[in-house]
Amino acid sequence: MSRLKKLYESTILDHNKNPRNFRVISPCSNSSHGKNPLCGDDYFVFLDIKEGIIEDISFHGSGCAISMSSGSLMTTHLKGKTVDYAYQNKDVFLKMVSKDMTSEEKKILGKLSVFEGVKDYPVRVKCAALVWRALEDALGKNKGEISTE
Amino acid sequence: MLTVDEIRKDFPILSRKINGKQYAYLDNTTTTHKPLSVIKTMTDFLKKENSSVNRGVYYLSQKATARCEETREKVQRFINAKREEEVVFTKGTTEAINLVATSFGSTLKKGDEVIITEMEHHANIVPWQQVCLSQGAIFKVIPFSDSGMLDQEAFDRLLSHKTKIVAITHCSNVLGTINSIKKMVEKAHKYGAKVLIDGAQAIQHLPIDVQDLDCDFYCFSGHKLYGPTGIGILYGKYELLSMMPPYQTGGDMIDIVTFEKTTFKETPYKFEAGTSAIVEIIGLGATIDYLENIGYETITLLEVPLLEYAMSELKQIEGISIYGSAAKRAGIISFNIDGVHAHDAGTIFDDEGVALRVGHHCAQPIMTHFGIPATIRASIGFYNTKEEIDKFIIGVKKIKEFFK
Ligand SMILES: Cc1ncc(COP(=O)(O)O)c(C=O)c1O
């Protein structure tokens, strides 16, 4: 598979075209606004957390195929899971897009491992990471704003 | 007339393969490649003549000083300035604008007005915005139309006796528009306002005659003119530079220093604090020799057909939005492909061996105007070929296919 086809894996292209959980949750318990000023990626992440469980999660905004599909797959992956699980996945995901993973880590991420190809494109790492950084920020405090540059 | 094949021999980087790929370099707005004569002049100086300027009494230092002054003379001739003292060496366009915004800007009073345009590079926005904040001056903006033309009637309405300075780009680095500078200078002068022209994107395409334009300041960068980075020019009318306070202070720009008081040299030296970018200044001299040898007529004859070809090919592809369609324009094409983010397109162009830029191009207000986060920008230099444009167009088609 070519490097490019690996980056734009078919799941990624699909989630870019039809992003899941692409909506605003209002009111919500936690949210954050993430931006990549250089390329203009701009997303909000919304969470509704009750007793440590992510009951609902969504994202909204605009950006490239990598950031859009990352938001779609992240929200799909975390809905109904615990906050601890979200933190753990965030760490593994951020490791995956820049370094090699162990098979155990790969198992944790499941479908999210389609983003493995990103590590061959250092300039695109921040695209894949943006919604996860916003998630981290949203989990840490109730409302915030982050920039990855 | 020199042919493009002959010219390309002067730019060895154009035939370099990276990962087995030969790139079509269409990012000339960001920076241009340097011809062998410039590279050789700079390395020869470092090998045989290196020393500092304005300090030593020994042979090499005097020689280096003379060579820097020779560049000043060449620049004077190149832009038709009246006197050598009107040519100040800076780091680049950004520093030249900051110099004027800080030094001339210090004379602004509360309620004075500064006018810029909506199509400026951040380098010609932020320094003015900041000086307006610190001086209590009012910051005004001439809008442009969707076709990329400045609204001249709005300019007429904004101008008044309160206007102290008007800062305009000669050529937009996103839209490609070449603005009617001469007419705008004339209008501004009727109100006694001074005019600064950001020439960073114009001087590589058009011959510049600062006396004919009658602008008060003109700024450009060496590296966008097929010359070195780290060197740029501020042209300013002698009467203005003479009355303006220094920008930075320190060595080389002083006359006499005591702990009670310091007196400064005259222009241009009072604006050139510290050791200059000597190698780059000498390299800029060689750049001007090179360009004068090619000639602007040849540059136009090489670039214009490429621009027209690229535009007509691009317009035949469905689902392309092109930003800027001014009749007078340089070889800068900004566009988007429907349903594809510019950043994704950039990655695929790279894979195809086409080097161009995606993003906001340091002109966020232009992105805001069109309500878009970014554009793809292809920009043409005189060394580009029709085959490179074809490669670019094939790239556009592949991207459409990829994301369909
Ligand atoms: C229109 C314009 N002005 C100013 C600049 C800044 O030039 P430099 O970075 O060389 O100072 C640029 C560079 O992109 C430009 O295109």
Side-chain angles (χ1 to χ4, degrees):
Chain A
M1 193 159 50
S2 79
R3 212 167 128 248
L4 199 62
K5 284 263 158 61
K6 207 172 141 206
L7 174 68
Y8 291 109
E9 210 270 349
S10 60
T11 314
I12 291 183
L13 290 177
D14 169 45
H15 278 256
N16 174 47
K17 261 210 164 141
N18 308 297
R20 328 289 200 262
N21 307 310
F22 192 66
R23 60 192 161 83
V24 176
I25 303 175
S26 175
C28 65
S29 65
N30 301 56
S31 72
S32 177
H33 185 190
K35 281 187 282 194
N36 283 331
L38 198 66
C39 48
D41 293 345
D42 190 323
Y43 294 96
F44 286 88
V45 170
F46 305 95
L47 294 137
D48 216 10
I49 302 174
K50 286 200 184 82
E51 287 160 19
I53 306 286
I54 300 171
E55 299 219 322
D56 199 4
I57 176 167
S58 73
F59 79 114
H60 204 260
S62 65
C64 65
I66 304 296
S67 59
M68 183 66 82
S69 55
S70 186
S72 177
L73 281 152
M74 176 186 82
T75 50
T76 310
H77 191 73
L78 297 181
K79 200 182 276 190
K81 300 289 190 334
T82 64
V83 169
D84 287 345
Y85 180 83
Y87 271 117
Q88 181 201 22
N89 273 264
K90 176 214 54 145
D91 289 339
V92 182
F93 185 90
L94 294 178
K95 184 183 168 198
M96 168 182 68
V97 290
S98 51
K99 294 189 195 83
D100 287 330
M101 272 191 305
T102 62
S103 57
E104 209 156 291
E105 287 169 333
K106 209 163 176 167
K107 221 182 276 158
I108 297 175
L109 290 179
K111 222 175 177 183
L112 293 177
S113 56
V114 294
F115 288 98
E116 233 188 321
V118 171
K119 74 169 179 293
D120 293 333
Y121 290 84
V123 296
R124 305 306 299 274
V125 169
K126 63 179 183 346
C127 310
L130 180 62
V131 288
W132 287 91
R133 296 272 181 216
L135 172 84
E136 177 182 26
D137 186 62
L139 291 174
K141 39 187 160 93
N142 291 345
K143 282 198 170 58
E145 188 152 321
I146 58 123
S147 161
T148 58
E149 276 154 33
Chain B
M1 184 182 124
L2 281 165
T3 65
V4 69
D5 289 340
E6 285 166 322
I7 287 174
R8 285 176 79 87
K9 287 194 194 120
D10 298 331
F11 295 86
I13 195 170
L14 292 173
S15 45
R16 184 180 163 200
K17 287 201 167 90
I18 302 166
N19 297 329
K21 264 186 315 219
Q22 181 148 358
Y23 271 84
Y25 186 76
L26 294 173
D27 194 18
N28 294 288
T29 304
T30 305
T31 200
T32 48
H33 292 318
K34 331 299 172 198
L36 281 172
S37 62
V38 171
I39 299 168
K40 184 168 184 312
T41 303
M42 293 171 75
T43 48
D44 278 356
F45 174 80
L46 285 167
K47 279 193 237 167
K48 299 177 200 155
E49 297 181 12
N50 182 50
S51 68
S52 193
V53 294
N54 304 332
R55 294 216 175 104
V57 289
Y58 54 95
Y59 173 78
L60 281 184
S61 176
Q62 289 178 36
K63 181 110 198 264
T65 309
R67 291 197 64 186
C68 286
E69 291 312 310
E70 210 174 274
T71 296
R72 206 186 299 276
E73 256 176 68
K74 282 180 192 171
V75 173
Q76 179 207 344
R77 199 168 16 86
F78 191 58
I79 61 172
N80 194 32
K82 221 184 275 173
R83 345 176 18 160
E84 274 169 51
E85 296 93 322
E86 297 181 323
V87 176
V88 181
F89 294 131
T90 66
K91 257 189 342 192
T93 308
T94 304
E95 193 183 44
I97 298 170
N98 272 280
L99 191 162
V100 180
T102 307
S103 170
F104 183 82
S106 70
T107 64
L108 291 174
K109 291 184 194 62
K110 199 162 185 263
D112 283 348
E113 295 181 359
V114 173
I115 301 179
I116 68 154
T117 87
E118 193 187 2
M119 65 166 80
E120 299 307 315
H121 184 280
H122 295 160
N124 205 25
I125 302 175
V126 188
W128 299 113
Q129 187 182 48
Q130 298 306 309
V131 78
C132 284
L133 282 174
S134 65
Q135 301 294 119
I138 298 158
F139 185 67
K140 297 196 160 172
V141 183
I142 309 168
F144 66 80
S145 66
D146 286 351
S147 62
M149 302 290 289
L150 287 177
D151 182 343
Q152 293 297 336
E153 282 169 24
F155 182 40
D156 295 339
R157 283 194 302 274
L158 291 176
L159 272 171
S160 76
H161 288 287
K162 287 189 202 150
T163 313
K164 290 296 175 281
I165 188 145
V166 180
I168 319 165
T169 190
H170 198 165
C171 171
S172 161
N173 67 316
V174 176
L175 309 167
T177 313
I178 293 169
N179 289 314
S180 319
I181 293 305
K182 200 174 162 175
K183 201 171 77 193
M184 295 179 79
V185 170
E186 225 177 274
K187 285 185 190 176
H189 281 173
K190 284 204 182 112
Y191 292 91
K194 304 300 176 208
V195 184
L196 174 139
I197 306 298
D198 173 352
Q201 296 301 343
I203 194 161
Q204 59 278 61
H205 305 293
L206 313 167
I208 302 302
D209 181 334
V210 289
Q211 291 190 64
D212 179 57
L213 292 174
D214 197 29
C215 56
D216 301 283
F217 303 100
Y218 198 96
C219 313
F220 62 94
S221 299
H223 73 103
K224 296 182 194 280
L225 186 64
Y226 307 93
T229 50
I231 179 68
I233 296 294
L234 167 66
Y235 156 82
K237 282 184 180 162
Y238 182 76
E239 312 76 65
L240 287 167
L241 293 180
S242 297
M243 49 105 357
M244 279 159 54
Y247 168 53
Q248 293 179 334
T249 54
D252 288 330
M253 54 78 69
I254 50 84
D255 200 7
I256 293 165
V257 177
T258 66
F259 289 123
E260 288 70 42
K261 186 182 166 192
T262 296
T263 54
F264 306 120
K265 283 185 180 158
E266 298 291 321
T267 181
Y269 306 108
K270 77 171 167 194
F271 297 112
E272 295 174 358
T275 303
S276 312
I278 300 164
V279 190
E280 289 75 14
I281 292 173
I282 291 168
L284 181 64
T287 308
I288 292 175
D289 292 340
Y290 182 83
L291 291 173
E292 285 184 333
N293 185 44
I294 292 188
Y296 277 105
E297 240 170 84
T298 303
I299 292 176
T300 306
L301 286 171
L302 289 171
E303 288 179 354
V304 170
L306 286 181
L307 170 65
E308 285 171 355
Y309 178 62
M311 276 293 205
S312 81
E313 287 292 301
L314 202 54
K315 280 179 183 162
Q316 282 172 36
I317 305 174
E318 240 175 84
I320 303 285
S321 316
I322 300 175
Y323 306 101
S325 55
K328 262 191 87 184
R329 61 177 301 149
I332 299 169
I333 306 172
S334 277
F335 67 101
N336 272 318
I337 304 169
D338 287 359
V340 182
H341 194 280
H343 226 211
D344 293 314
T347 293
I348 298 182
F349 275 122
D350 180 48
D351 205 70
E352 286 291 307
V354 180
L356 44 63
R357 182 145 169 209
V358 295
H360 56 58
H361 318 294
C362 299
Q364 284 175 3
I366 300 184
M367 302 300 119
T368 307
H369 177 107
F370 290 107
I372 49 175
T375 77
I376 307 164
R377 181 184 69 185
S379 51
I380 294 163
F382 55 67
Y383 45 47
N384 285 123
T385 62
K386 184 166 173 290
E387 290 70 37
E388 289 176 323
I389 303 294
D390 286 334
K391 202 167 169 174
F392 158 66
I393 294 293
I394 290 170
V396 176
K397 290 178 179 161
K398 282 205 176 156
I399 292 163
K400 278 199 63 174
E401 184 58 32
F402 200 95
F403 287 99
K404 84 170 182 288

